[in-house]
Structures are given as C-alpha cells and as structure tokens.
Amino acid sequence: MAIAQLTADKRRDMGAAAMRTYPNIIRDWGLPEQDAAVLLGVADSTYRRWRKDPESARFDVNHLERMSLIMGIYKALQLLLPRTDAADSWLRRPNSNPLFGGRPPIERLRQGQVSDLYVVRQHLDAARGGGHA
C-alpha cells in the first residue's frame, strides 16, 4: 500500500512508532534537537511535543516519507560502516563527494527539503551497491 493510501489511524500508529525510535537515531548521530525537527519537517515545539508523547504525533504523508528516508539512511550507514562510531558520525564529517562539496552531509540536510533526504539516501544505496560513501 502506498503511503498516500494509508488511513489516518494507520498513519497515527506509524507516527507513534516512529517517534519512539527517531530520538534514538538523532542521539546516535549526535545531532541537536533543532536538526531533528528540520529533518522531520516540523517546528521545534512540535518535535519536542511528539518526542515527549509519541502517541500525540500526527504524521501526514510528508512526515512518513521523511521518516522512511531517515530510517533508510540510518540503516544504510549501519550496513556500509559496521563500526558504530563511523556510521554515527558520517553525517557530520566532511565529504568529498560532489553531492556535498567537501561539506558534511548534514549541512545539505539542514536545508529541510525532502529531496535532500532522498539524495542522501540514494547516494548511500548506490554506495551499498559497490561504491563507497
């Protein structure tokens, strides 16, 4: 079933489950709360409320897409870089790939566009296919 076809109840359940996991990913990546909100596409206050009470999270299709991409990035990094410290710090380290122009990938993600999450996810998926992140 496509994300757009999910019922409101299913989105609510998925949002609550995601918000029980997402703060741990942000912690592992060493990112501040502001970045967590930007990546998810919500205001800081909304992120804090959802983090405190995951059942209150009201994900729309955009939030579900973002969360799917974020979790995919997290998983890809864990597979590509089996050392936890390397996987968790990848977003914050300068990257010579032209996609990042020598800057840390998190700087691209801080723009807040879902397309940037997609580009990073696609880059990591391609690296898993034989290249290097």
Side-chain angles (χ1 to χ4, degrees):
M1 177 181 290
I3 290 176
Q5 296 172 325
L6 294 173
T7 66
D9 287 343
K10 188 66 172 170
R11 285 195 315 268
R12 185 171 35 257
D13 292 346
M14 291 174 77
M19 284 309 299
R20 288 189 289 272
T21 302
Y22 184 57
N24 297 324
I25 292 172
I26 294 303
R27 183 201 61 226
D28 288 352
W29 284 346
L31 299 178
E33 195 171 81
Q34 293 84 359
D35 285 348
V38 168
L39 269 58
L40 195 50
V42 298
D44 291 353
S45 59
T46 300
Y47 173 72
R48 284 192 301 272
R49 186 174 66 252
W50 289 358
R51 187 193 72 227
K52 184 178 179 180
D53 179 16
E55 302 304 318
S56 73
R58 296 294 177 257
F59 276 31
D60 61 20
V61 172
N62 176 57
H63 300 124
L64 288 172
E65 180 179 16
R66 287 170 177 271
M67 189 60 74
S68 174
L69 290 166
I70 291 164
M71 289 185 172
I73 290 167
Y74 184 81
K75 179 181 178 184
L77 287 170
Q78 299 300 312
L79 293 170
L80 278 168
L81 304 166
R83 277 191 24 234
T84 303
D85 61 328
D88 291 344
S89 64
W90 184 85
L91 283 176
R92 293 178 282 113
R93 290 194 318 262
N95 192 307
S96 61
N97 186 288
L99 290 173
F100 310 114
R103 302 173 79 83
I106 189 60
E107 289 189 21
R108 180 166 188 162
L109 297 181
R110 282 182 178 133
Q111 301 305 307
Q113 302 299 314
V114 71
S115 59
D116 291 320
L117 288 166
Y118 179 78
V119 165
V120 171
R121 168 77 189 270
Q122 196 171 42
H123 167 70
L124 293 169
D125 286 349
R128 284 181 49 210
H132 294 288

